[in-house]
Amino acid sequence: MRSDIRVCSEWRANHDRPVYTLSASCPDCGADAVNSAPAPFSPEDRYGEYRRALKRRERE
């Protein structure tokens, strides 16, 4: 799962705080922008069964 929100890959070296953007590069320093966070996943997902059932109903 990919997010549209990206963060500057060099923010620790070039900025005081993370610089978020929707483009492929940082608007301030021009470095590449990377996905801001990995997709959440837990093998013990308590609501996974309900979420998958909802997706199945929406497809029908």
Side-chain angles (χ1 to χ4, degrees), residues 7-19 25-33:
V7 65
C8 176
S9 62
E10 301 293 323
W11 75 266
R12 285 182 176 87
N14 296 336
H15 309 291
D16 295 335
R17 58 187 175 164
V19 176
S25 62
C26 176
D28 293 340
C29 68
D32 289 337

Side-chain angles (χ1 to χ4, degrees), residues 3-7 20 34-38:
S3 173
D4 290 337
I5 300 173
R6 298 169 182 233
V7 65
Y20 294 95
V34 294
N35 193 3
S36 61

Side-chain angles (χ1 to χ4, degrees), residues 31-50:
D32 289 337
V34 294
N35 193 3
S36 61
F41 173 77
S42 171
E44 300 165 356
D45 186 2
R46 295 183 291 172
Y47 303 105
E49 178 183 343
Y50 302 110

